[in-house]
C-alpha cells in the first residue's frame, strides 16, 4: 500500500508536461567509450615519471630542506630562556567572532592545512526572508558561521540547508553572484572535508537531521553489544532550510529527540552496523510516523518514535 | 550483466590499482557524471570536460570509498561539485546558450525562448534535493528503467519512483514560483 500523496504525479498532465520538458532539454548523449579512453589517457599521463634529472635533484633537495629545518628548530629551542613558558600561539584568524548559542564553543587552535577545502559561497538571491547563498551543510556551514564579502561586507548564517543557507548581511549590500569566503573556521572545514570523503550519501543524513558513524567494537562491547552492531550519533541538525523562500523546518531527528552521543542499536527492529545500513533501514521515502529508533542514552535503553 | 555485484567487483579491483577495471567503471558511469555536470553547466562540451575531471578525481580518491554500494552517488556528487567549482573559477553564473544566437528567418525568437526555458529548468533542478535530482536525471536524461536505477544505487525501485514523483512535483512548484517572480 502506498500512502505517499506524490505517488502517481508522473501520470498527471502536469507531471507529463515536466517529463516532456526534461526530455526536450536532455543533453546530447556523450560517447562513453571515447570519454573513458580520454580519462585513462589523462591518468596515464599523470603517472608518467618525471625526467630523471629532476628526480635526482628532488632526492637531494628534500633531505637538505629537512636538515635545514631541523637546525632552525634546534636553534629556537636552545635559545628559549629556561623559565619562560611559551605562550599559546593566538589563532591567525578568529574562528567565530560571535558564536551562536548552538555552535560548538570549544577553543580551536587554527591550523592552515591544505587538505581542508576553502569554503566559498555565492549570493544566489534576495527575497523577503533574507539573502540566500549557495553553500550549506555539505560545505561545512552551520548556523552562526560567518563569511566575508567584498568591501567589508559580512554575512552570518541564520538558517542552513544541505546545499544552501539563509544569511543576514552587515556592512553593505550584496548582489547575486557576489562571492563570499568563510572566515577560517576549522570546524567547518573539517566538516566539509568529511562530507567530501564520505562513502555514503551524507545529503540524505542531513535531510534526516543526524550524522552517524559506526561505534568502535571496543566501545560497543563495553555497552554490552557483543556483535558491535551500533552507531554513534555524531551531530544532530535541529532545523533545516528546505526551501529558499520558506522557514527552516524541524528535522525528523529533532522531532524524534535524537541527541548527539546517543548510540543507535536498532532502526525499525533491524540492527545497523554502518551508515549504509542505517540509510536502508530508515527508508527515506517512508512515512516518518512509522519510524522507530532504539538508542542507548546514558546506559539506558530509549525507544524514539513520532507516534 | 551490469548489476551491483559486478560493479562491486570492479571497484575492488580498481582499488587495488587495476586500470582495466577502472576503465570499465568509467565507461559504465560516464553518462552519469556527464548528466550531473550538465545539470549544473547546461553546456555539453564543458560537461564532457567535467565528466573526465570527475573520474580523474574518483581514481585518486578511490581508496577512501568505504562502501562500494555508494559509488554512483559519490560519482554524481563529485561531478556536481566539480561543475560548481568550474563555474566559480570562471566567474560566471551559468552559460545561457548552447546554440549560437543566430536568428533565422523561419523562427526568429525560438532559440531565445528555448534558452530561457532551459535556464529556468536547470535553475529549478539546482534547487531540488540531491536525491530527487539524481533520480530524475537518471530516469529522464540517462533513460534508465527503475530496476536499473535500483541496481545502480542500492535503493529500491519503489523508493526511486517516489523520489521521481516528488522531484517532479517540487520542480513544478519551483518553476511556478520562478514564473511568478518574473511577472512581479
Amino acid at each position: 500500500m502506498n500512502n505517499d500523496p506524490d505517488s502517481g504525479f508522473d501520470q498527471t498532465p502536469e507531471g507529463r508536461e515536466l517529463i516532456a520538458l526534461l526530455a526536450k532539454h536532455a543533453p546530447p548523449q556523450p560517447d562513453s567509450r571515447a570519454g573513458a579512453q580520454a580519462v585513462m589517457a589523462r591518468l596515464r599521463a599523470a603517472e608518467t615519471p618525471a625526467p630523471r634529472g629532476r628526480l635526482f635533484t628532488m632526492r637531494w633537495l628534500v633531505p637538505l630542506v629537512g636538515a635545514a629545518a631541523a637546525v632552525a628548530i634546534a636553534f629556537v629551542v636552545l635559545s628559549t630562556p629556561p623559565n619562560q613558558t611559551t605562550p599559546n600561539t593566538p589563532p591567525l584568524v578568529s574562528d567565530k567572532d560571535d558564536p551562536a548559542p548552538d555552535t560548538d564553543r570549544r577553543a580551536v587552535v587554527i591550523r592552515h592545512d591544505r587538505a581542508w577545502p576553502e569554503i566559498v559561497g555565492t549570493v544566489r538571491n534576495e527575497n523577503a526572508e533574507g539573502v540566500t547563498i549557495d553553500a550549506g551543510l555539505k560545505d561545512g556551514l552551520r548556523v552562526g558561521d560567518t563569511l566575508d564579502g567584498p568591501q567589508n561586507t559580512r554575512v552570518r548564517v541564520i538558517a542552513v540547508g544541505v546545499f544552501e543557507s539563509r544569511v543576514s548581511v552587515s556592512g553593505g549590500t550584496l548582489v547575486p553572484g557576489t562571492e563570499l569566503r568563510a572566515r577560517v573556521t576549522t570546524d567547518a572545514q573539517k566538516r566539509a572535508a568529511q562530507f567530501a570523503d564520505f562513502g555514503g550519501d551524507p545529503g540524505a543524513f542531513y535531510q534526516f537531521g543526524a550524522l552517524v558513524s559506526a561505534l568502535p567494537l571496543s566501545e560497543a562491547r563495553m555497552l554490552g553489544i557483543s556483535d558491535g552492531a551500533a552507531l554513534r550519533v555524531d551531530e544532530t541538525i535541529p532545523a533545516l532550510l528546505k526551501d529558499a523562500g520558506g522557514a527552516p523546518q524541524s528535522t525528523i531527528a529533532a522531532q524524534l529527540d535524537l541527541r548527539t552521543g546517543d548510540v543507535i542499536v536498532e532502526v525499525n527492529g533491524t540492527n545497523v552496523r554502518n551508515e549504509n545500513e542505517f540509510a536502508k533501514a530508515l527508508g527515506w521515502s517512508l512515512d516518518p510516523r512509522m519510524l522507530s529508533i532504539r538508542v542507548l542514552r546514558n546506559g539506558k535503553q530509549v525507544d524514539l518514535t513520532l507516534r | 550483466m551490469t548489476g551491483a555485484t559486478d560493479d562491486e567487483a570492479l571497484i575492488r579491483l580498481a582499488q587495488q590499482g587495476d586500470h582495466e577495471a577502472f576503465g570499465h567503471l568509467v565507461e559504465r558511469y560516464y553518462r552519469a557524471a556527464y548528466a550531473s555536470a550538465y545539470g549544473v553547466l547546461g553546456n555539453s562540451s564543458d560537461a564532457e570536460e567535467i565528466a573526465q575531471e570527475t573520474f580523474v578525481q574518483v581514481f585518486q580518491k578511490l581508496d577512501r570509498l568505504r562502501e562500494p554500494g555508494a559509488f554512483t552517488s559519490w560519482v554524481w556528487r563529485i561531478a556536481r561539485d566539480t561543475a560548481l567549482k568550474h563555474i566559480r573559477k570562471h566567474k560566471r553564473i551559468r552559460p545561457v546558450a548552447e546554440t549560437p544566437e543566430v536568428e533565422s528567418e523561419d523562427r526568429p525568437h525560438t532559440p531565445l525562448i528555448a534558452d530561457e526555458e532551459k535556464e529556468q529548468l536547470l535553475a529549478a533542478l539546482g534547487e531540488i534535493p540531491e536525491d530527487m535530482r539524481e533520480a530524475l536525471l537518471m530516469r529522464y536524461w540517462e533513460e534508465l528503467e527503475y530496476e536499473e536505477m535500483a541496481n545502480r544505487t542500492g535503493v529500491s525501485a519503489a523508493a526511486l519512483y517516489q523520489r521521481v514523483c516528488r522531484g517532479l512535483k517540487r520542480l513544478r512548484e519551483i518553476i511556478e514560483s520562478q514564473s511568478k517572480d518574473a511577472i512581479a
Side-chain angles (χ1 to χ4, degrees):
Chain A
M1 192 175 74
N2 193 345
N3 292 324
D4 187 344
D6 297 329
S7 190
F9 186 74
D10 61 330
Q11 301 302 320
T12 63
E14 295 94 337
R16 281 200 288 266
E17 193 181 326
L18 273 168
I19 292 167
L21 187 67
L22 278 163
K24 181 180 172 187
H25 294 294
Q29 289 306 333
D31 182 342
S32 297
R33 178 159 290 180
Q37 284 168 354
V39 171
M40 299 316 287
R42 282 172 71 164
L43 288 174
R44 277 193 294 274
E47 283 182 356
T48 306
R52 196 178 172 79
R54 190 174 153 206
L55 270 180
F56 188 71
T57 312
M58 291 299 288
R59 200 180 294 163
W60 284 101
L61 190 62
V62 172
L64 272 175
V65 171
V71 170
I73 291 166
F75 177 77
V76 171
V77 169
L78 289 173
S79 61
T80 305
N83 293 329
Q84 187 181 329
T85 53
T86 309
N88 289 331
T89 309
L92 295 175
V93 186
S94 109
D95 182 44
K96 295 177 180 86
D97 52 352
D98 49 351
D102 57 346
T103 56
D104 189 348
R105 288 170 183 269
R106 283 175 300 174
V108 176
V109 177
I110 304 297
R111 283 173 48 228
H112 291 272
D113 186 331
R114 283 168 192 266
W116 292 338
E118 183 181 26
I119 301 170
V120 183
T122 306
V123 175
R124 190 183 278 168
N125 56 35
E126 183 173 14
N127 56 31
E129 305 295 334
V131 173
T132 306
I133 65 169
D134 69 353
L137 292 168
K138 81 173 188 65
D139 304 287
L141 291 183
R142 299 291 187 270
V143 171
D145 282 344
T146 53
L147 298 97
D148 287 332
Q151 296 169 342
N152 298 323
T153 50
R154 182 178 297 174
V155 304
R156 178 185 164 95
V157 177
I158 53 175
V160 69
V162 179
F163 305 102
E164 62 193 6
S165 302
R166 185 175 300 146
V167 298
S168 62
V169 183
S170 59
T173 53
L174 296 173
V175 295
T178 305
E179 207 166 79
L180 304 159
R181 286 171 193 274
R183 317 195 78 208
V184 172
T185 56
T186 311
D187 286 352
Q189 286 174 307
K190 278 182 183 171
R191 288 190 293 254
Q194 281 165 0
F195 185 100
D197 288 348
F198 202 92
D201 179 3
F205 288 101
Y206 286 135
Q207 297 284 358
F208 171 68
L211 286 185
V212 299
S213 61
L215 195 66
L217 187 60
S218 57
E219 288 182 40
R221 285 185 174 156
M222 283 173 70
L223 293 169
I225 307 162
S226 56
D227 63 354
L231 299 169
R232 179 171 45 214
V233 178
D234 296 326
E235 184 185 2
T236 53
I237 312 291
L240 199 61
L241 191 65
K242 293 189 174 173
D243 182 343
Q249 293 172 24
S250 178
T251 61
I252 295 171
Q255 291 172 46
L256 286 167
D257 190 30
L258 194 66
R259 300 177 193 172
T260 302
D262 281 352
V263 172
I264 297 173
V265 288
E266 274 183 28
V267 177
N268 290 344
T270 308
N271 291 347
V272 283
R273 291 172 185 278
N274 54 43
E275 295 91 332
N276 255 29
E277 284 186 9
F278 184 50
K280 280 180 188 165
L282 283 173
W284 301 113
S285 303
L286 293 178
D287 184 342
R289 284 169 301 180
M290 301 298 288
L291 181 63
S292 78
I293 297 184
R294 176 166 291 175
V295 301
L296 293 180
R297 181 179 294 164
N298 301 323
K300 290 180 184 167
Q301 186 176 295
V302 183
D303 287 326
L304 306 172
T305 64
L306 294 180
R307 281 169 280 183
Chain B
M1 192 183 81
T2 58
T5 319
D6 194 13
D7 280 354
E8 202 169 316
L10 286 174
I11 291 164
R12 296 284 180 218
L13 285 170
Q15 282 178 324
Q16 291 159 20
D18 187 328
H19 276 220
E20 197 180 337
F22 187 68
H24 286 304
L25 282 172
V26 177
E27 201 170 327
R28 198 169 284 179
Y29 289 102
Y30 191 78
R31 279 174 70 178
Y34 168 83
S36 179
Y38 189 89
V40 175
L41 300 163
N43 171 306
S44 56
S45 62
D46 284 355
E48 284 253 23
E49 169 63 26
I50 296 301
Q52 291 174 20
E53 173 60 28
T54 295
F55 283 105
V56 171
Q57 288 185 44
V58 164
F59 186 77
Q60 289 164 350
K61 296 177 181 176
L62 201 56
D63 57 338
R64 299 188 206 168
L65 182 71
R66 285 171 287 165
E67 293 292 334
F71 183 74
T72 327
S73 299
W74 193 51
V75 168
W76 269 87
R77 201 172 59 242
I78 291 177
R80 184 167 173 78
D81 284 351
T82 309
L84 287 167
K85 276 182 197 157
H86 179 83
I87 287 178
R88 285 181 186 137
K89 193 174 170 186
H90 292 82
K91 303 274 182 195
R92 59 199 166 88
I93 301 300
R94 201 200 296 276
V96 175
E98 170 105 309
T99 42
E101 289 185 22
V102 178
E103 293 190 355
S104 77
E105 288 292 318
D106 299 336
R107 44 189 187 102
H109 299 302
T110 310
L112 187 61
I113 292 166
D115 287 341
E116 281 175 3
E117 190 181 69
K118 180 173 153 188
E119 269 297 284
Q120 194 178 34
L121 175 68
L122 293 179
L125 278 171
E127 298 274 323
I128 65 174
E130 190 170 10
D131 57 345
M132 294 181 196
R133 178 172 53 244
E134 188 182 342
L136 279 178
L137 298 191
M138 269 194 284
R139 181 79 183 103
Y140 299 115
W141 279 8
E142 287 195 73
E143 296 173 350
L144 298 183
E145 296 298 331
Y146 283 105
E147 283 305 321
E148 291 176 290
M149 291 161 64
N151 268 341
R152 189 194 263 190
T153 58
V155 177
S156 73
L160 286 164
Y161 174 68
Q162 284 181 333
R163 279 187 197 176
V164 164
C165 288
R166 285 182 181 181
L168 285 170
K169 199 167 182 184
R170 194 80 191 85
L171 208 55
R172 179 169 177 256
E173 288 164 2
I174 292 168
I175 289 174
E176 277 182 355
S177 109
Q178 285 172 345
S179 303
K180 277 180 197 161
D181 287 349
I183 292 165

